[in-house]
Amino acid sequence: TIEDVRHIISRGEGYTIEFKDATGGMPSSFYESAVSMSNTDGGVLLLGVDDDGVVMGLTTEACKHMQKDIVTALNEPDCVWPSIYVQPFIVSHPEGEILVCQIVASSQVHISLRIEEPESEEVLYCLWMDGGEGFCVRNTSRNLPLYS
């Protein structure tokens, strides 16, 4: 519900909460964050909210497109292995739609195969392996290597 989303936003980003602006499309760091959360205690990814907790809002059309992309990619062995099951849902906010992705903690170690070079070392830390694979986990509001 909108009240639940407002409560999550009020808590701010952290170990189990991540905001993604997504007004320019699917953030490249989304899949790494989903894998990192799955490899630790799970969490919630909110698309349409910036890092400061400001609701930027998305169009319904953009949310529906991202929903399809997320479900497809997280079940695609070329993106994430093994698959991560998630059912993103849309919550309406006065500033626009927010796409909510609840990531469940997994007993398996997941690998993101689409890891790109991070924009800043403060934003994303992953262990780079041959073939571009990375093992990531959450630590506070960051993704960190599972093995160092």
Side-chain angles (χ1 to χ4, degrees):
T1 66
I2 184 70
E3 292 81 20
D4 294 329
V5 169
R6 284 185 174 139
H7 176 71
I8 291 167
I9 292 170
S10 73
R11 291 176 50 199
E13 287 191 313
Y15 184 67
T16 60
I17 299 171
E18 179 80 20
F19 304 146
K20 302 287 183 188
D21 182 324
T23 54
M26 179 62 72
S28 60
S29 62
F30 174 84
Y31 299 104
E32 291 86 357
S33 294
V35 165
S36 296
M37 286 180 170
S38 181
N39 284 342
T40 48
D41 293 330
V44 179
L45 287 157
L46 298 181
L47 283 80
V49 179
D50 75 8
D51 289 340
D52 296 321
V54 176
V55 176
M56 306 306 289
L58 302 170
T59 66
T60 302
E61 181 179 320
C63 281
K64 289 182 179 182
H65 183 74
M66 283 189 241
Q67 273 181 310
K68 181 181 174 188
D69 287 350
I70 289 167
V71 170
T72 300
L74 292 179
N75 285 288
E76 180 67 41
D78 290 341
C79 180
V80 173
W81 185 86
S83 297
I84 297 173
Y85 179 73
V86 63
Q87 289 185 307
F89 60 93
I90 300 170
V91 172
S92 294
H93 185 278
E95 300 300 322
E97 309 288 0
I98 297 172
L99 189 59
V100 180
C101 300
Q102 178 70 46
I103 307 296
V104 178
S106 177
S107 62
Q108 299 175 302
V109 174
H110 295 270
I111 304 168
S112 174
L113 301 174
R114 285 190 184 173
I115 292 179
E116 298 175 9
E117 289 292 328
E119 295 174 13
S120 164
E121 288 185 9
E122 294 178 11
V123 175
L124 177 68
Y125 293 88
C126 286
L127 176 63
W128 301 101
M129 304 184 72
D130 292 334
E133 298 176 7
F135 294 84
C136 302
V137 296
R138 297 287 291 175
N139 181 14
T140 63
S141 63
R142 298 184 190 165
N143 302 322
L144 296 173
L146 182 58
Y147 304 106
S148 54

